[in-house]
Amino acid sequence: SEQQGRFEAFLQADRVRGFELGQAPLMRCALLRVAEDAYQFVWSHHHLLLDGWSLPLVLKEVLAYYDAFCRGQELHLGSPRPYRDYIVWLQRQDLARAEGFWREALQGITAPTPLSIGRSEGGLGERQPRYAERGLRVSAAVTGRLQALARAHRLTLSTLVQGAWALLLSRYSGEEEVLFGATVSGRPAALGGVEAMVGLFINTLPVRVEVPPQARLLPWLEQLQGQQVEREQYAYSPLVQIQGWSEVPRGVPLFESLVVFENYPV
């Protein structure tokens, strides 16, 4: 218990320490001996360096080199495509075309869809946030049925989760049209080798969904997925610019809730 307490204190101090953005590298490593034959390895890095998709890519390479070292072997891995190629690709994208798409997609939206739970009378300006964390593990049986449903109707699990959240948001807000955010991988299929690149690619896009009470579930989910595919063509659009292209006033959030569906190549 003493070791665990000291370790937790170290982690807390490390988080508070943060990073100076003007000083490279924006990461640090620490190896802590906690027993005669046990160590804790802590790798801290700024999100500017890499996203969740990149984590297993880096760890896979490190562990491959470590395994080769333990075996007394030399390992020569090919170099992935550099992150600068993504920046070049990004700079070539047509923001004017993206602006036209997002203005049409968000037309008529003048305020975020309120989640309307867990908020005190202080509203958005409240200094002390009121929130809690809740974990839920879906059983293997339910997971299997969801996967089977998705396969049978050529849907993704991400679409099912977004649909569920849209229904919940509609119920709590009392609105038949809702808007929430969805984090996307941001890795364009048009850029060869992008799945093996290390860096920060993720972006967050607004998702506008109509939730008519009389709609049938499967056609509604198919429509939701079609809209998702269309949005991905403009996934390179910076969220701050999407906000500016919308009719939501500056200083007001575009959305109050966010869906993150993680499906990393682990």
Side-chain angles (χ1 to χ4, degrees):
S1 59
E2 181 184 353
Q3 287 278 34
Q4 186 63 28
R6 292 172 65 187
F7 181 60
E8 293 295 336
F10 171 85
L11 292 180
Q12 180 62 31
D14 189 61
R15 291 189 184 99
V16 173
R17 179 180 171 189
F19 293 94
E20 291 292 336
L21 298 187
Q23 298 178 10
L26 297 183
M27 70 174 187
R28 52 180 172 266
C29 302
L31 186 65
L32 310 175
R33 187 173 186 175
V34 296
E36 187 67 27
D37 59 350
Y39 295 82
Q40 288 276 13
F41 180 73
V42 181
W43 175 27
S44 305
H45 62 85
H46 197 288
H47 208 343
L48 283 170
L49 282 189
L50 68 169
D51 54 23
W53 183 298
S54 301
L55 289 175
L57 298 178
V58 173
L59 291 175
K60 182 179 179 181
E61 187 170 316
V62 169
L63 293 174
Y65 276 110
Y66 180 73
D67 182 62
F69 173 79
C70 292
R71 297 172 183 269
Q73 301 171 348
E74 287 193 10
L75 182 65
H76 301 283
L77 298 178
S79 298
R81 194 166 182 175
Y83 184 71
R84 69 175 69 92
D85 287 1
Y86 167 68
I87 300 300
V88 171
W89 177 89
L90 204 57
Q91 292 171 337
R92 291 174 179 167
Q93 301 314 299
D94 189 350
L95 275 182
R97 185 181 171 197
E99 179 180 356
F101 169 80
W102 289 113
R103 284 190 182 278
E104 182 178 352
L106 298 173
Q107 186 176 13
I109 298 291
T110 58
T113 303
L115 188 54
S116 302
I117 60 173
R119 179 176 300 166
S120 68
E121 296 179 358
L124 287 173
E126 183 186 24
R127 291 183 177 273
Q128 296 296 327
R130 295 170 54 194
Y131 57 84
E133 186 171 314
R134 173 70 182 268
L136 173 66
R137 182 180 294 273
V138 180
S139 70
V142 172
T143 300
R145 290 199 295 271
L146 288 172
Q147 291 172 331
L149 174 71
R151 280 194 303 268
H153 300 280
R154 309 187 76 171
L155 299 169
T156 65
L157 284 176
S158 177
T159 297
L160 297 184
V161 171
Q162 288 190 16
W165 185 250
L167 288 170
L168 186 74
L169 193 56
S170 175
R171 178 66 60 87
Y172 273 103
S173 66
E175 299 181 6
E176 291 188 13
E177 186 174 59
V178 299
L179 186 71
F180 58 90
T183 299
V184 295
S185 70
R187 293 174 182 258
L191 187 60
V194 70
E195 69 282 350
M197 293 171 66
V198 172
L200 179 61
F201 294 85
I202 61 169
N203 194 13
T204 299
L205 305 175
V207 180
R208 183 178 186 176
V209 185
E210 291 186 14
V211 192
Q214 71 279 8
R216 294 179 62 83
L217 179 63
L218 288 173
W220 179 72
L221 288 172
E222 290 168 356
Q223 182 182 18
L224 184 61
Q225 180 155 300
Q227 294 169 343
Q228 183 176 332
V229 172
E230 188 176 14
R231 277 195 310 274
E232 287 177 355
Q233 300 178 51
Y234 305 95
Y236 58 82
S237 310
L239 180 58
V240 65
Q241 289 192 272
I242 297 175
Q243 167 97 25
W245 296 330
S246 75
E247 298 173 26
V248 177
R250 287 286 187 183
V252 177
L254 190 57
F255 41 78
E256 291 187 6
S257 62
L258 176 68
V259 172
V260 183
F261 187 90
E262 296 181 346
N263 186 23
Y264 299 143
V266 178

